[in-house]
Amino acid sequence: MSFKKDLRLLAKPYYWVNILLSLSYLVAKRAPYVCKYVFPTEDGICELDSRETEILFFLVIVVAIRTRKTGSVTMINYLTSSFIYTKIANLILWSYSDVRYGIGFAAVFILCATVLPEPTYSGPENVVYFRTPTGLEDEMDRDKRVVWIVTFYTVWNPACVNFAPIFAQLSSEYHLPNLKFGKMDVGRHPEAGQKYHVSDSSFSRQLPTVILFKNGKEIMRRPCADSKGKLMKFFFSEDNIRAAFDFNNLYKECKENPIKTATSAIEKKKN
């Protein structure tokens, strides 16, 4: 996603409201005119105490670790991954200052989450969503000539959420009758996760997992394990996915070898 697209997304209320909530305590504490009324002191000096500094420092560490694990690579990804942690930290800080402030912040927090849900990708896509644990297997058994690229995901995982629009765009660009894109929710269908060796644990480093199937068999996946069985880190950016699965050549191969049907054979004879 380009920097210009990120800036356009930032104009949406969800992002700037959450940025304000994430910075609310720090701004209130450091802005002289705001601090004077919210945190009145005898000497009129507003500074972060040692406990508040510790909470903010711990927040920075948590955000840095979590965004690395989710493979966040754009400004929007970093913001989306960090919002939940920054808002919880602000809730703790407001409550630490005054319980009434904490309750008020929690009320605003819940109201914003209800009224302003995170924007989702609304562009074109050509993705088959498998609604049963055996949905993928049934589709591959129906016609093994179809090449499938399938994302195994959960709805609650930030990395899966960040990858969703990329996968949707790729499906729209490369879809063919014999090159199809699918998604399997292993949180809803853990049996499918077990079958294809994708863990749906909250500590899993396999979410999302993208697998390429040809002739009903797995050809490759990302992330994958090395020779020692250790999972190799993979960042799910658009460029990385295109390169890893060689989409251009895969599309060309499928385009040059279309599925021949009875109708196409009859038309060929007529010509």
Side-chain angles (χ1 to χ4, degrees), residues 9-57:
L9 282 175
L10 282 177
K12 294 185 177 183
Y14 169 82
Y15 292 102
W16 56 262
V17 168
N18 276 279
I19 290 173
L20 289 175
L21 287 175
S22 300
L23 298 175
S24 61
Y25 189 84
L26 188 60
V27 170
K29 196 74 174 182
R30 299 301 297 172
Y33 296 104
V34 178
C35 180
K36 178 181 178 180
Y37 294 101
V38 179
F39 307 106
T41 58
E42 293 181 1
D43 54 13
I45 299 175
C46 285
E47 293 182 351
L48 296 170
D49 62 25
S50 59
R51 179 60 59 83
E52 292 169 335
T53 303
E54 289 174 0
I55 293 173
L56 289 174
F57 184 70

Side-chain angles (χ1 to χ4, degrees), residues 72-135:
S72 301
V73 292
T74 69
M75 176 174 60
I76 291 296
N77 293 159
Y78 275 113
L79 286 174
T80 303
S81 300
S82 64
F83 279 153
I84 185 64
Y85 305 109
T86 55
K87 287 186 289 188
I88 290 175
N90 273 270
L91 177 60
I92 295 172
L93 288 167
W94 283 111
S95 300
Y96 171 72
S97 175
D98 191 314
V99 175
R100 292 171 298 179
Y101 289 159
I103 294 173
F105 182 84
V108 174
F109 184 163
I110 295 171
L111 178 62
C112 289
T114 304
V115 177
L116 295 173
E118 182 179 352
T120 56
Y121 176 77
S122 57
E125 68 171 18
N126 216 316
V127 177
V128 177
Y129 289 85
F130 302 111
R131 307 297 182 185
T132 64
T134 61

Side-chain angles (χ1 to χ4, degrees), residues 121-187:
Y121 176 77
S122 57
E125 68 171 18
N126 216 316
V127 177
V128 177
Y129 289 85
F130 302 111
R131 307 297 182 185
T132 64
T134 61
L136 172 58
E137 189 176 359
D138 294 340
E139 284 291 337
M140 290 193 295
D141 287 342
R142 186 173 292 114
D143 193 340
K144 294 187 181 297
R145 296 170 297 176
V146 176
V147 175
W148 282 94
I149 300 174
V150 182
T151 294
F152 294 81
Y153 73 105
T154 62
V155 295
W156 49 261
N157 185 276
C160 295
V161 174
N162 293 336
F163 180 60
I166 295 174
F167 191 71
Q169 291 172 33
L170 291 172
S171 72
S172 178
E173 183 177 349
Y174 290 102
H175 176 269
L176 290 170
N178 57 339
L179 177 57
K180 296 184 179 181
F181 292 73
K183 295 187 76 171
M184 174 68 76
D185 185 348
V186 293

